[in-house]
Amino acid sequence: MSRKLGLTALSAVAALTLAACGGEGAGSNNNTEDAAPEDLSIGVSMPTQTSERWIADGNAVKEQLEAKGYEVDLQYAGDDIPTQTQQIDQMITQGADALIIAAIDGTALGSQLQAAADEGIPVISYDRLIRDSENVDFYVSFDNFKVGVAQGNALLTGLGLPTEDNPEGTATGPFNIELFAGSLDDNNAFFFFDGAMSVLQPLIDDGTLVVKSGQTEIEQVATLRWQQETAQRRMEDLLTSTYNDGSRVDGVLSPYDGLSRGIITALSNNGYGPTIDSGAQPMPIVTGQDAEIASVKLIADGVQSSTIFKDTRLLAEQAVIAAEAFLEGEEPEANNTEDYDNGVKVVPSYLLDIVTVFADDIQAELVDTGYWTAEEVEAGQAE
Ligand code: GAL
């Protein structure tokens, strides 16, 4: 009896010590270790439903958590920051035991994360790093710098220039290119752009590539909220301001399929295409990311050149593994503890690998792996 009391007293001290550590040891004053998954609920906050990738992410996380027995509260915030903060506040007041968050603005969630930490709720930052808060317990994503490197290399390969992956390239240039980046409030946008520029800058410096508009700074080429229409408008402006002298754009670095579709629309409205192989005014080489089905069809049809495939099923799996570890009172296993400094601390991360997809890779990488069916690729939409 006394031994039992002693243990209880000890664990009370341990709990107090843990709680005093604040953000450290998520789940500290939120005793989930002994609970059955059925009694635990996980809030999943996703940025928007306008992009099909986030729908796939949300569904995959929800399905995989439910398969393990957890209750899931999945919310989409319509790319509106106040909506996302309000949804997360509500998840916390409704007693979420863990949070999985893909932020709209990576810097806007400080007070929500503080509230989560105060309740001992572990927070997993999903694909986009949440910045400026010590209360981010784990980060699951892809190797985002590598995504940018792959996009830069895909642009070179599309143009026929030699690269490490494609030493057979025989083109020499010079080629006119334009650069696009993602949303400046998304940490990933910088990783993608820096990765791509690590490949492109030396060729810009030696004249093989010419950014005719002169716009090479991320602030000049960024696209707020990753919006397709914004990219389309900027491409249209570039064509009018820079390419009205008979010159042509040969390639466009685009970091995301949604932007690529806006860029392609602008180009086809201005006499390019319809395909990369069209005679007089071929469609420029346009890169992408996410293997969104509408873009996979454009790639199959020879309109868009490439995309970067990031398997959202595997990302969801890592988020679920991390949530489960925290709920069981353990730390999830990280494979990167160096690269993702959120301004306050380096967040332990699990980064997944990526695959570059050109038309010839669609079958093996996207259809054979069950990501899209051949019918969906043919139709250009999810079933
Ligand atoms: C990024 C993400 C990309 C793309 C983009 C627009 O954060 O890493 O894969 O989805 O958002 O949604």
Side-chain angles (χ1 to χ4, degrees):
M1 184 72 188
S2 69
R3 186 167 164 265
K4 212 171 171 192
L5 267 179
L7 271 183
T8 313
L10 245 185
S11 46
V13 171
L16 274 175
T17 320
L18 265 177
C21 294
E24 296 300 312
S28 45
N29 47 4
N30 186 23
N31 246 326
T32 54
E33 284 100 300
D34 304 325
E38 289 71 20
D39 298 325
L40 297 173
S41 106
I42 300 178
V44 181
S45 171
M46 290 282 148
T48 177
Q49 271 171 309
T50 54
S51 151
E52 71 200 17
R53 81 146 281 191
W54 296 114
I55 300 176
D57 285 272
N59 289 342
V61 173
K62 187 172 176 2
E63 277 162 24
Q64 293 182 33
L65 285 171
E66 283 176 349
K68 290 185 178 283
Y70 296 107
E71 288 278 321
V72 180
D73 179 9
L74 168 64
Q75 303 282 342
Y76 287 90
D79 255 344
D80 181 52
I81 299 165
T83 304
Q84 186 163 45
T85 54
Q86 193 207 331
Q87 287 173 341
I88 297 171
D89 280 334
Q90 202 166 44
M91 288 171 184
I92 295 169
T93 50
Q94 287 176 352
D97 295 291
L99 292 171
I100 297 174
I101 302 172
I104 297 166
D105 178 331
T107 63
L109 298 175
S111 66
Q112 282 62 41
L113 263 51
Q114 188 57 53
D118 293 345
E119 300 281 331
I121 301 170
V123 173
I124 295 155
S125 189
Y126 187 92
D127 200 39
R128 298 173 172 176
L129 185 64
I130 301 175
R131 294 190 53 86
D132 304 338
S133 167
E134 65 180 313
N135 304 309
V136 186
D137 297 293
F138 202 71
Y139 179 46
V140 293
S141 189
F142 295 84
D143 188 330
N144 293 304
F145 188 83
K146 221 171 173 184
V147 170
V149 170
Q151 288 170 335
N153 277 323
L155 181 60
L156 302 185
T157 301
L159 289 168
L161 287 162
T163 66
E164 249 171 56
D165 306 341
N166 178 43
E168 319 75 82
T170 53
T172 50
F175 293 112
N176 290 331
I177 63 163
E178 292 298 334
L179 310 171
F180 282 71
S183 196
L184 294 179
D185 53 12
D186 181 345
N187 197 56
N188 287 351
F190 296 86
F191 278 77
F192 301 151
F193 192 69
D194 291 347
M197 289 308 267
S198 74
V199 173
L200 302 179
Q201 190 65 55
L203 298 178
I204 295 174
D205 293 343
D206 75 11
T208 307
L209 301 175
V210 178
V211 182
K212 195 155 182 271
S213 69
Q215 299 181 10
T216 53
E217 297 299 322
I218 190 168
E219 290 77 13
Q220 297 175 299
V221 306
T223 316
L224 183 66
R225 298 285 119 73
W226 301 91
Q227 286 203 347
Q228 178 166 339
E229 304 71 36
T230 309
Q232 181 178 336
R233 228 174 303 123
R234 176 161 177 264
M235 190 70 235
E236 268 154 13
D237 290 348
L238 287 169
L239 290 171
T240 317
S241 62
T242 310
Y243 295 91
N244 58 359
D245 57 359
S247 60
R248 61 169 261 115
V249 196
D250 300 303
V252 182
L253 173 78
S254 166
Y256 158 58
D257 284 344
L259 303 190
S260 313
R261 294 195 295 275
I263 291 161
I264 285 169
T265 304
L267 289 162
S268 34
N269 288 346
N270 283 274
Y272 286 88
T275 69
I276 296 164
D277 296 326
S278 310
Q281 189 67 297
M283 182 58 76
I285 301 303
V286 181
T287 62
Q289 174 172 206
D290 285 347
E292 293 200 327
I293 191 63
S295 293
V296 175
K297 176 164 173 60
L298 289 175
I299 294 170
D301 291 347
V303 181
Q304 184 173 321
S305 175
S306 63
T307 189
I308 306 298
F309 172 43
K310 307 195 304 190
D311 194 331
T312 50
R313 299 167 298 188
L314 300 182
L315 184 59
E317 191 176 279
Q318 285 309 319
V320 171
I321 289 172
E324 203 174 25
F326 282 125
L327 291 171
E328 289 173 357
E330 289 156 17
E331 292 288 324
E333 192 190 325
N335 64 5
N336 185 303
T337 51
E338 277 174 20
D339 291 332
Y340 288 92
D341 187 332
N342 79 346
V344 177
K345 71 174 195 186
V346 176
V347 182
S349 310
Y350 195 97
L351 305 181
L352 291 156
D353 231 341
I354 50 127
V355 182
T356 304
V357 172
F358 291 94
D360 286 350
D361 307 308
I362 291 174
Q363 182 67 35
E365 301 296 347
L366 301 175
V367 178
D368 294 350
T369 59
Y371 200 72
W372 298 119
T373 65
E375 292 71 33
E376 287 171 321
V377 175
E378 177 72 31
Q381 59 184 35
E383 265 158 18

